[in-house]
C-alpha cells in the first residue's frame, strides 16, 4: 500500500462517509489521483463507495471492517517501532523526534478535521 493510499484510508476511517471531493481537498490530491487510489483500496476490500443522497454522482466513502482492523494494527506497529527506535537514540534526538511527531500529528488532525 502506498503512503497516499494509507493517508486516504486513515482519513476515511476517521471520517466515515467523507466525499471523494473532500478527500482530495484535505490531502491535496487531484480527482484522478483520489479516484485511482480509491479503486485500489476498493479492490483490496478496504473501502466502499456509496452514491450521495443529494447528488448520485458524488460518492461517499466508507471503510470496511478489514480496513478498520488493519489501521488499528498498523498504528500499533508504527507506535511500537517508534518506541523501540526512540529507546536506542540519545535524549536530544529523542526530543527532536517527539517534536516532529507532534507536528506530524497536528498536521494530520488539521487534515482530518
Amino acid at each position: 500500500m502506498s503512503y497516499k493510499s494509507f493517508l486516504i484510508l486513515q482519513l476515511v476511517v476517521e471520517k466515515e462517509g467523507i466525499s471523494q471531493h473532500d478527500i482530495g481537498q484535505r490531502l491535496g490530491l487531484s480527482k484522478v489521483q483520489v479516484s485511482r487510489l480509491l479503486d485500489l483500496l476498493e479492490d483490496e476490500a478496504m473501502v466502499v463507495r456509496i452514491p450521495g443522497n443529494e447528488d448520485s454522482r458524488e460518492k461517499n466513502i466508507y471503510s470496511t471492517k478489514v480496513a478498520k482492523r488493519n489501521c488499528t494494527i498498523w498504528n500499533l506497529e508504527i507506535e511500537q517501532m517508534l518506541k523501540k527506535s526512540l529507546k536506542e537514540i540519545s535524549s536530544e534526538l529523542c526530543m527532536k523526534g517527539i517534536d516532529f511527531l507532534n507536528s506530524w500529528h497536528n498536521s494530520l488532525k488539521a487534515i482530518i478535521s
Side-chain angles (χ1 to χ4, degrees):
M1 175 176 295
S2 73
Y3 178 68
K4 289 178 184 177
S5 294
F6 178 74
L7 288 178
I8 288 175
L9 191 58
Q10 290 281 76
L11 183 57
V12 171
V13 167
E14 292 291 324
K15 297 280 188 185
E16 293 289 341
I18 190 169
S19 70
Q20 288 184 212
H21 175 77
D22 286 346
I23 291 170
Q25 280 192 320
R26 290 173 188 247
L27 299 178
L29 301 172
S30 71
K31 290 173 97 175
V32 172
Q33 287 176 304
V34 172
S35 183
R36 287 182 182 159
L37 292 167
L38 286 172
D39 287 344
L40 294 172
L41 289 169
E42 209 167 27
D43 290 345
E44 295 174 9
M46 297 287 192
V47 299
V48 293
R49 290 184 242 203
I50 298 176
N53 291 332
E54 297 171 15
D55 184 353
S56 61
R57 294 172 297 171
E58 181 66 43
K59 304 291 188 243
N60 295 321
I61 315 304
Y62 295 87
S63 63
T64 64
K65 288 180 183 180
V66 172
K68 289 174 185 158
R69 186 189 75 231
N70 285 347
C71 280
T72 300
I73 292 168
W74 294 331
N75 287 332
L76 288 172
E77 288 175 355
I78 290 168
E79 183 180 337
Q80 288 173 350
M81 285 188 295
L82 287 171
K83 283 181 180 178
K84 182 180 177 187
S85 297
L86 291 175
K87 285 181 184 178
E88 298 173 2
I89 58 175
S90 70
S91 59
E92 180 183 332
L93 190 54
C94 186
M95 291 307 294
K96 287 181 182 180
I98 290 170
D99 289 342
F100 169 78
L101 289 174
N102 284 332
S103 172
W104 183 72
H105 178 72
N106 290 335
S107 296
L108 282 178
K109 282 175 68 175
I111 290 169
I112 291 171
S113 54

